[in-house]
Amino acid sequence: MNRPPETQRLFFALWPGAEIREQATQIAQRMLGKRGKCVRSENLHLTLVFLGSTTEQQRACAEAVADTIEGTAFALRLEQIGYWSRPRVVWLAPRETPQPLIELVQQLNQGLTACGYQPEARPYRAHMTLARKVAGYFPAREVAPLACPVEHFYLVRSVSYPGGVEYQVLRSWPLAQ
Ligand code: 2AM
């Protein structure tokens, strides 16, 4: 019998530096206390495109797409705290999505259709999930902006364990200055 091809759960993401991630964790812990499950500092990121279950062949295709991206570096001001009640997550996001970020996501989505991925139907909402399983209502608010220079984007693997999830950064691509 043929075994199904091995797959990895992958996504393209922005991965802010350790200092920004640490500050974001402190904001989350201060605001949420025990109301939710705060994402560990080393796991904090902003997803660009979620690929999901990916074969070796699709991964090679996705990397080839990333090789062709002509992106520009930009600065992200993370300052808006919000809550999505259905996934029950609290997130940190820029108030406005910088144009180079919109274009980066568009280029990736467009290129990835050639690898057999369905582009995300919902409009892109840049966000860093700070906490999951947050019960009840959580009012939107602003925090002192975290200024986050973005000079690369990353291909990341998500590995689930009984105790949680680990993200492994597989590759990075620079954005032009
Ligand atoms: P989230 O942080 O908003 O939950 C790894 O799982 C990353 O991919 C997370 O940032 C997660 O977004 C995102 N992700 C997980 N499943 C997804 C899906 N089905 N569609 C879009 N993004 C998803």
Side-chain angles (χ1 to χ4, degrees), residues 46-126:
L46 296 94
T47 298
L48 295 169
V49 179
F50 180 71
L51 303 177
S53 178
T54 300
T55 62
E56 258 313 304
Q57 207 178 357
Q58 284 174 311
R59 173 174 163 181
C61 185
E63 290 191 33
V65 168
D67 289 339
T68 68
I69 298 294
E70 291 181 6
T72 313
F74 56 93
L76 208 50
R77 271 167 66 95
L78 298 171
E79 57 191 333
Q80 186 85 49
I81 297 282
Y83 176 60
W84 288 330
S85 56
R86 204 120 68 101
R88 296 198 299 157
V89 300
V90 167
W91 44 260
L92 176 61
R95 196 144 22 118
E96 282 174 23
T97 310
Q99 193 58 27
L101 173 53
I102 294 170
E103 284 165 17
L104 174 59
V105 172
Q106 273 172 355
Q107 283 189 57
L108 281 169
N109 272 317
Q110 216 161 23
L112 287 164
T113 56
C115 307
Y117 293 107
Q118 289 281 342
E120 168 68 64
R122 295 169 297 187
Y124 179 64
R125 298 276 310 269

Side-chain angles (χ1 to χ4, degrees), residues 2-7:
N2 282 343
R3 270 204 266 155
E6 294 211 358
T7 59

Side-chain angles (χ1 to χ4, degrees), residues 9 11 45 47 50 84 89 120 122 127 129 132 158 167:
R9 184 179 164 89
F11 58 103
H45 64 275
T47 298
F50 180 71
W84 288 330
V89 300
E120 168 68 64
R122 295 169 297 187
H127 70 280
T129 294
R132 301 185 191 279
S158 164
Y167 297 129

Side-chain angles (χ1 to χ4, degrees), residues 6-47:
E6 294 211 358
T7 59
Q8 299 178 336
R9 184 179 164 89
L10 302 183
F11 58 103
F12 284 105
L14 304 180
W15 217 270
E19 205 176 310
I20 297 283
R21 284 184 283 109
E22 198 47 55
Q23 286 171 349
T25 301
Q26 281 169 18
I27 290 171
Q29 286 173 347
R30 203 170 54 230
M31 279 189 330
L32 282 145
K34 291 204 166 23
R35 276 194 61 190
K37 196 170 180 318
C38 287
V39 176
R40 282 181 293 137
S41 177
E42 64 262 36
N43 278 355
L44 289 173
H45 64 275
L46 296 94
T47 298

